[in-house]
Amino acid sequence: METVTFKEGSALREQAERLFTSQKEKLANLIPGADIQHIGGTAVPGLLTKGDLDINVRVSKDAFSNAVKVLREHYAINQPDNWTDAFASFKDDTSFALPLGIQVTVIGSSDDHFIKHRDALLRDPKLVEEFNELKRK
């Protein structure tokens, strides 16, 4: 089992926001019409993070296969065993100040839960603390 070390997300927030802004622009050019969202530990104040930036690229069902094809050309494939017809993930652990993870989801699919999760945490500081406690364990 891999040991994961968590950090305070607020310490990385500025760095993560700069990287998100640059990657959002790149991703918008690569996949026009995609909904590109900052997710994960650096997107929620007070949440513990592994120290990476996570981005959710949300696309229509019709645009999914092309989005995956385009992202394969620019990022490394991540966890292909978890891929579905509505979810794929990519990464770049070496090119930026923070490791980068990109999750592509079909809007409205059962795999399209990252924004709901982020927004629930943003609305409820108690959930943030409960989630942090799970991470600490």
Side-chain angles (χ1 to χ4, degrees):
M1 177 181 275
E2 178 184 348
T3 301
V4 178
T5 304
F6 293 103
K7 305 170 185 175
E8 285 292 330
S10 58
L12 301 171
R13 183 115 173 123
E14 190 174 307
Q15 210 173 17
E17 281 298 326
R18 280 195 307 271
L19 180 55
F20 174 70
T21 298
S22 69
Q23 289 301 298
K24 182 177 182 179
E25 183 177 327
K26 177 181 178 177
L27 291 164
N29 286 324
L30 291 173
I31 309 166
D35 177 25
I36 303 162
Q37 298 281 332
H38 183 179
I39 58 170
T42 57
V44 179
L47 192 61
L48 294 175
T49 176
K50 294 182 296 187
D52 58 349
L53 170 67
D54 286 302
I55 297 175
N56 184 196
V57 177
R58 303 172 71 232
V59 296
S60 69
K61 185 177 182 178
D62 293 340
F64 181 75
S65 62
N66 186 60
V68 169
K69 178 182 175 217
V70 167
L71 291 174
R72 280 180 189 255
E73 297 170 4
H74 295 272
Y75 303 95
I77 292 172
N78 191 31
Q79 300 177 331
D81 294 346
N82 295 336
W83 285 26
T84 69
D85 290 340
F87 172 80
S89 58
F90 299 87
K91 67 180 181 174
D92 186 331
D93 291 336
T94 60
S95 299
F96 310 106
L98 299 174
L100 174 66
I102 299 173
Q103 290 76 38
V104 184
T105 57
V106 171
I107 296 170
S109 71
S110 61
D111 292 307
D112 187 33
H113 53 79
F114 296 102
I115 303 306
K116 291 176 192 172
H117 181 240
R118 179 204 61 198
D119 291 350
L121 290 165
L122 286 170
R123 282 190 306 271
D124 190 345
K126 185 178 178 190
L127 279 179
V128 171
E129 189 48 47
E130 289 173 3
F131 197 31
N132 282 343
E133 190 56 36
L134 286 173
K135 287 181 173 187
R136 287 183 189 104
K137 289 179 181 178

